[in-house]
């Protein structure tokens, strides 16, 4: 009996670590959306253990693995990856799979936000937030916490608003003081939250789209797409239909899995995956950082050990450490 | 008198030759590092541009090695660079660094001031000696830039990864050991031979990216986090019109000798910007057009945060992008720039132009949409 081959996509982001398991027909079988909580290695191992329970011990069922997100190198070192790609490419691939012919992809993640423009099926232009993270998931997270509302409820609050107040969304710190000011002035919570959503959308469109024309179909993905308030604010600002895909929160991981599958297919001779197996999750990982004193650059070198063996080092400019394994 | 100067890419090699030919005692500042920038950001106003912060750091580090005089080029530059020497003077004075600053004003506007600078430097005005040294300097500047150009041409094609880098690194190191113009030119010749012998993939057709933007941040590889070397490692050939030799020859020597300059970039930029607006904005736009006409696949613009001429250029570039169908990526650098985000953007940009090109050339059935 032959078993189906599965593909694994891993997206290690600043706020969430996502894993998805995809079958031969590009259908997502299992998705995991875990909070990174500042411990990507531990969360990644946790994710792998959950998948192991789902799939069983048989590692040979994993055809290939793709890694993306700001922690993509880390993921590749821990789990073993056949392809390591940046988030922009991964998101574009996944979005195109779900809505063929998509022209604009808006993605708002934990600490970065991006907009991707496609033309005739190819990424034509993209922009990422440059010097500021106002308006990203982390900020919404913090405001929800401050207001004592679960983050998942924020959107519902926004929808109940009758007349949203205007919140300055340009800077996270000023947005917060503006919100506090409006609170003290006696505005109701719903209107403030709705105003916040609109402020963030305004900020996003000003900073990223910068007046470029936004063509339909428009997709909205990333963790923040869960917030129905933001989705509505986008709809209102753009006067366009906004498509939120079913797996909006794990699109990066989905893209990575698609890329990994493609990579295996385009290889001329059959190659075995670099996947280290689910057992990798059981190893004892330690990371430590050291400051190199070899030159005045004083690079901070990070070293990752698995069961006492060094498996990766990075952070140096000259390659003395990263090549010396 | 011990003369020093701020770093800018490989300028130290040619500056060394100039001082040696003139018989002046000199100090090369320690190579720019995080420490240099830390020193610079401590003493330079926060909103000043990044090159000022780095170069002040260079000077302070050189002073610790015994330098007492700074030689600086171009005082009446048409952007904030024009005030660099005054800023150096004031900042160093506030720090009680007793350093004398000699500015070599570009000839033309203030020829008397130039001569004054030279007299101070040489303790006389031996024009023959000066002319000879300048000739050697110019020759070396050109040769060193040629090496750099070759490296970024060969690296994306090399078969043994890292081979080109090793030769280039060795050259930069050995250049410190040899003395005078003749030995440097000999070293350049040897290095060129070595580069020519690097085994390359004859059939490779790498993507080609043109680098445009502010002069210091595009030339200084420490500042732009080795962008050209990184592109090379990704298998992308990169080229940059704005080099030290180009600047020295076009803006100083040709102007001084009243030889007509190469103004092709100015013509190319004319439909978008008809006037010199300071800094390298005109070059940025003109060169983008020239790269597009030469069939380059993409353009990367690099500039330090708050660089006014480049901000203007950035806002004009989308028009060039549209008219010539050439993708442009803008990267802004300052002391807070994180390496990870910077590399992600470059990587994604390379992906973008690669897919765009593939789609243009042949419609490969197996390529994923959007990838």
């Amino acid at each position: 009996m032959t078993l189906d081959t599965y593909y694994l996509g891993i997206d290690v982001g600043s706020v969430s670590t996502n894993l998805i398991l995809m079958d031969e027909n590009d259908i997502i079988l299992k998705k995991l959306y875990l909070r990174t909580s500042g411990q990507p290695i531990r969360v990644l191992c946790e994710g792998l253990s959950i998948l192991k329970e789902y799939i069983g011990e048989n590692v040979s069922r994993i055809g290939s693995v793709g890694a993306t997100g700001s922690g993509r190198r880390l993921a590749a070192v821990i789990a073993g990856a056949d392809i390591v790609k940046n988030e922009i490419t991964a998101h574009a691939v996944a979005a195109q799979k779900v809505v063929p012919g998509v022209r604009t992809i808006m993605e708002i993640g934990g600490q970065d936000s991006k907009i991707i423009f496609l033309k005739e099926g190819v990424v034509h232009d993209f922009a990422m937030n440059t010097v500021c993270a106002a308006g990203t998931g982390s900020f919404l997270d913090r405001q929800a916490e401050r207001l004592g509302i679960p983050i998942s409820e924020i959107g519902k609050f926004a929808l109940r608003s009758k007349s949203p107040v205007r919140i300055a969304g340009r800077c996270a710190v000023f947005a917060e003081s503006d919100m506090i000011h409006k609170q003290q002035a006696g505005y109701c919570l719903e209107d403030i939250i709705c105003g916040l959503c609109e402020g963030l959308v305004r900020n996003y469109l000003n900073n990223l789209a910068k007046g470029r024309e936004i063509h339909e179909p428009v997709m909205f993905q990333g963790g923040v797409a869960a917030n129905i308030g933001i989705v509505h604010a986008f709809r209102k600002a753009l006067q366009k239909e906004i498509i939120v895909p079913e797996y909006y929160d794990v699109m990066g991981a989905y893209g990575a899995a698609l890329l990994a599958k493609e990579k295996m297919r385009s290889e001329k001779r059959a190659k075995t995956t670099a996947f280290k197996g689910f057992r990798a999750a059981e190893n004892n990982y330690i990371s430590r950082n050291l400051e190199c004193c070899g030159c005045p650059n004083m690079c901070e070198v990070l070293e990752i050990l698995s069961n006492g063996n060094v498996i990766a080092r990075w952070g140096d400019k000259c390659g003395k450490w990263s090549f010396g394994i | 008198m011990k003369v020093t100067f701020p770093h800018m890419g490989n300028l130290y090699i040619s500056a060394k030759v100039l001082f040696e030919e003139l018989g002046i005692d000199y100090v090369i500042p320690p190579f720019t590092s995080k420490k240099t920038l830390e020193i610079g950001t401590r003493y330079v106003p926060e909103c000043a541009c990044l090159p000022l912060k780095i170069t002040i750091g260079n000077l302070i580090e050189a002073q610790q090695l015994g330098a007492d005089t700074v030689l600086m080029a171009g005082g009446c530059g048409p952007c904030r660079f024009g005030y660099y020497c005054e800023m150096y003077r004031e900042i160093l004075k506030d720090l009680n660094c007793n350093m004398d600053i000699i500015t070599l004003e570009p000839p033309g506007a203030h020829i008397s001031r130039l001569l004054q600078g030279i007299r101070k430097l040489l303790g006389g005005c031996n024009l023959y000696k000066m002319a000879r040294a300048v000739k050697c300097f110019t020759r070396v500047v050109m040769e060193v830039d040629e090496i750099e150009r070759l490296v970024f041409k060969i690296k994306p094609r090399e078969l043994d990864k890292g081979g080109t880098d090793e030769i280039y690194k060795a050259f930069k190191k050995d250049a410190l050991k040899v003395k005078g113009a003749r030995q440097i030119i000999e070293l350049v010749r040897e290095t060129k031979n070595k580069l020519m012998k690097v085994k390359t993939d004859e059939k490779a057709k790498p993507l080609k990216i043109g680098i445009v933007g502010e002069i210091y941040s595009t030339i200084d590889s420490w500042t732009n986090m080795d962008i050209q070397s990184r592109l090379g490692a990704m298998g992308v050939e990169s080229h940059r019109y704005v080099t030290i030799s180009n600047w020295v020859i076009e803006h100083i020597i040709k102007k001084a000798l009243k030889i007509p300059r190469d103004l092709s970039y100015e013509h190319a930029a004319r439909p978008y910007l008809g006037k010199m607006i300071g800094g390298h904005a005109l070059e940025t736009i003109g060169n983008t057009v020239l790269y597009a006409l030469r069939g380059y696949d993409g353009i990367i613009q690099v500039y330090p945060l708050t660089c006014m001429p480049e901000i203007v250029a950035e806002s004009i570039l989308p028009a060039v992008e549209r008219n010539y169908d050439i993708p442009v990526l803008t990267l802004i650098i300052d002391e807070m720039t994180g390496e990870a985000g910077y590399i992600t953007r470059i990587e994604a940009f390379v992906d973008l132009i690669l897919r765009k090109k593939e789609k243009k050339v042949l419609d490969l059935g197996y390529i994923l949409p959007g990838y």
Side-chain angles (χ1 to χ4, degrees):
Chain A
M1 192 186 87
T2 51
L3 292 164
D4 297 337
T5 311
Y6 293 161
Y7 300 92
L8 178 61
I10 306 173
D11 178 356
V12 180
S14 55
V15 171
S16 71
T17 296
N18 314 326
L19 293 94
I20 69 116
L21 210 55
M22 179 185 90
D23 71 3
E24 199 65 71
N25 301 320
D26 302 343
I27 292 173
I28 297 178
L29 299 170
K30 176 92 182 155
K31 74 157 199 186
L32 294 177
Y33 181 90
L34 309 166
R35 290 247 155 187
T36 307
S37 318
Q39 301 176 0
I41 300 180
R42 200 180 55 80
V43 174
L44 185 59
C45 292
E46 212 178 284
L48 286 174
S49 312
I50 299 173
L51 286 183
K52 183 181 142 194
E53 267 171 40
Y54 177 79
I55 195 174
E57 276 286 340
N58 201 340
V59 179
S60 63
R61 297 178 70 179
I62 297 291
S64 55
V65 181
T68 186
S70 47
R72 55 187 182 275
R73 284 178 71 191
L74 189 73
V77 162
I78 303 289
D82 299 291
I83 189 160
V84 181
K85 268 285 166 203
N86 59 78
E87 306 91 286
I88 292 170
T89 309
H91 275 284
V93 166
Q96 280 272 57
K97 188 83 205 171
V98 178
V99 180
V102 59
R103 292 291 305 274
T104 312
I105 303 165
M106 303 188 295
E107 199 267 349
I108 304 185
Q111 288 191 343
D112 61 23
S113 48
K114 33 191 153 326
I115 188 160
I116 307 170
F117 300 98
L118 297 104
K119 209 164 135 185
E120 290 157 24
V122 184
V123 176
H124 169 71
D125 198 0
F126 66 86
M128 275 173 93
N129 53 337
T130 44
V131 281
C132 172
T136 55
S138 311
F139 175 62
L140 278 174
D141 242 11
R142 191 182 134 56
Q143 292 315 319
E145 197 184 316
R146 197 176 62 81
L147 298 171
I149 307 170
I151 181 77
S152 48
E153 297 295 306
I154 284 258
K156 286 179 202 153
F157 269 78
L159 287 194
R160 284 203 293 268
S161 158
K162 293 272 173 340
S163 60
V165 295
R166 200 175 166 86
I167 302 278
R170 184 173 291 283
C171 164
V173 177
F174 290 153
E176 182 171 324
S177 35
D178 205 19
M179 278 171 70
I180 293 173
H181 167 75
K182 295 275 158 46
Q183 263 174 285
Q184 318 293 51
Y187 289 94
C188 73
L189 209 52
E190 280 83 357
D191 289 346
I192 293 174
I193 291 175
C194 189
L196 176 68
C197 293
E198 287 183 358
L200 296 188
V201 164
R202 222 171 20 244
N203 182 38
Y204 175 92
L205 293 174
N206 286 341
N207 279 345
L208 291 173
K210 279 189 183 149
R212 275 175 280 209
E213 217 176 316
I214 292 177
H215 293 281
E216 278 181 292
V218 183
M219 277 177 88
F220 180 27
Q221 50 199 46
V224 175
N227 186 331
I228 187 81
I230 299 268
V231 178
H232 272 262
F234 267 123
R235 238 168 238 161
K236 196 167 147 193
L238 292 173
Q239 294 292 318
K240 284 189 168 72
E241 186 50 40
I242 309 289
I243 307 166
V244 178
E246 186 188 350
Y247 294 106
Y248 62 89
D249 50 349
V250 293
M251 289 297 267
Y254 185 37
L258 288 167
L259 285 165
K261 184 184 158 201
E262 196 53 46
K263 166 102 190 224
M264 276 298 155
R265 219 170 356 139
S266 63
E267 290 286 328
K268 287 199 180 77
R269 40 200 159 110
K271 228 182 102 194
T272 47
T273 173
F275 186 47
K276 292 185 178 170
F278 291 112
R279 278 176 192 278
E282 289 156 21
N283 293 350
N284 180 24
Y285 294 101
I286 303 171
S287 64
R288 55 185 184 202
N289 87 13
L290 50 103
E291 193 167 80
C292 173
C293 300
C295 80
N297 273 323
M298 292 178 289
C299 298
E300 283 166 22
V301 181
L302 186 83
E303 194 173 56
I304 297 170
L305 294 97
S306 156
N307 291 344
N309 301 318
V310 178
I311 52 171
R313 280 197 198 115
W314 56 65
D316 50 341
K317 274 184 188 292
C318 64
K320 181 167 110 186
W321 296 91
S322 36
F323 292 144
I325 306 170
Chain B
M1 183 172 72
K2 255 191 169 188
V3 183
T4 191
F5 57 92
H7 271 297
M8 173 157 104
N10 293 330
L11 177 70
Y12 71 96
I13 301 175
S14 355
K16 184 170 164 297
V17 168
L18 181 71
F19 293 133
E20 276 161 0
E21 293 295 322
L22 289 171
I24 297 172
D25 205 5
Y26 65 89
V27 176
I28 297 178
F31 287 115
T32 306
S33 65
K34 226 159 55 185
K35 197 175 140 212
T36 316
L37 182 58
E38 259 167 42
I39 297 174
T41 38
R42 198 176 314 150
Y43 301 123
V44 174
E46 204 260 329
C47 53
C49 39
L50 186 67
L52 183 69
K53 296 177 189 174
I54 295 175
T55 49
I56 279 277
N58 285 147
L59 300 182
I60 292 172
E61 282 185 313
Q63 200 234 7
Q64 288 158 359
L65 295 180
D68 56 15
T69 307
V70 177
L71 182 67
M72 178 66 188
C76 38
C79 73
R80 276 185 271 184
F81 174 70
Y83 292 106
Y84 270 29
C85 63
E86 289 309 321
M87 289 298 288
Y88 287 164
R89 202 164 276 143
E90 292 302 318
I91 291 171
L92 293 174
K93 200 164 88 191
D94 287 349
L95 292 175
N96 287 327
C97 274
N98 284 319
M99 286 178 108
D100 206 4
I101 293 170
I102 299 178
T103 322
L104 296 182
E105 306 276 357
H110 308 281
I111 192 83
S112 60
R113 272 211 245 159
L114 175 70
L115 292 174
Q116 214 180 341
I118 295 172
R119 202 166 293 145
K120 211 163 158 191
L121 193 66
L122 296 177
C125 202
N126 187 339
L127 275 181
Y128 171 71
K129 195 171 161 193
M130 189 70 195
R132 220 185 67 95
V134 167
K135 197 178 149 222
C136 289
F137 171 75
T138 316
R139 168 98 196 268
V140 173
V141 163
M142 285 167 73
E143 295 282 1
V144 173
D145 279 341
E146 175 66 12
I147 293 259
E148 197 189 49
R149 198 186 62 79
L150 274 176
V151 166
F152 297 132
K153 198 177 165 73
I154 294 169
K155 192 174 173 188
R157 295 178 166 86
E158 69 186 4
L159 287 174
D160 296 328
K161 293 285 164 222
T164 321
D165 272 355
E166 237 160 70
I167 299 172
Y168 189 38
K169 253 188 208 164
F171 168 71
K172 291 209 249 188
K173 224 175 177 176
D174 292 342
L176 288 171
K177 291 180 202 147
V178 299
K179 261 200 146 46
R182 190 170 295 166
Q183 284 186 17
I184 277 280
I185 286 169
E186 178 60 22
L187 180 68
V188 166
R189 212 178 50 79
E190 279 169 27
T191 309
K192 263 192 203 164
N193 282 341
K194 273 191 224 160
L195 283 172
M196 289 307 182
K197 280 191 199 124
V198 171
K199 282 204 188 87
T200 55
D201 183 357
E202 302 287 325
K203 275 180 275 171
K205 280 207 177 75
L207 290 174
K208 283 165 74 179
I209 290 185
I211 308 285
V212 299
E214 189 271 332
I215 181 166
Y216 184 89
S217 54
T218 47
I219 288 179
D220 195 79
S221 59
W222 189 87
T223 307
N224 61 39
M225 296 184 232
D226 287 311
I227 187 165
Q228 286 190 279
S229 185
R230 281 181 201 278
L231 286 171
M234 292 181 203
V236 178
E237 183 184 334
S238 59
H239 182 273
R240 163 162 52 75
Y241 278 121
V242 177
T243 54
I244 302 177
S245 57
N246 169 281
W247 190 73
V248 167
I249 293 167
E250 295 293 329
H251 291 267
I252 300 185
I253 298 192
K254 282 193 180 173
K255 260 188 198 166
L257 301 177
K258 301 218 165 18
I259 302 173
R261 292 160 51 207
D262 174 17
L263 293 173
S264 50
Y265 71 87
E266 224 179 286
H267 292 295
R270 192 150 295 154
Y272 305 94
L273 183 65
K275 220 181 183 145
M276 163 82 173
I277 55 156
H280 279 70
L282 203 55
E283 272 97 334
T284 296
I285 294 166
N287 289 338
T288 302
V289 174
L290 293 178
Y291 280 128
L293 290 175
R294 279 176 58 189
Y296 273 64
D297 302 297
I299 303 291
I300 297 184
Q301 182 200 18
V302 183
Y303 71 84
L305 189 71
T306 73
C307 174
M308 209 53 210
E310 292 301 323
I311 291 173
V312 176
E314 186 192 353
S315 62
I316 297 175
L317 282 176
V320 185
E321 196 174 351
R322 230 178 6 252
N323 292 352
Y324 290 90
D325 193 26
I326 187 166
V328 179
L329 173 73
T330 297
L331 296 169
I332 307 171
I333 303 175
D334 79 343
E335 65 265 31
M336 320 272 189
T337 301
E339 210 175 309
Y342 189 77
I343 294 165
T344 297
R345 283 167 179 81
I346 298 175
E347 244 185 69
F349 185 67
V350 170
D351 270 354
L352 178 161
I353 57 174
L354 185 69
R355 295 306 142 191
K356 204 169 165 179
K357 191 179 183 185
E358 266 175 10
K359 197 176 163 61
K360 231 185 247 175
V361 180
L362 49 139
D363 235 25
L364 286 174
Y366 66 81
I367 296 279
L368 277 172
Y371 170 48

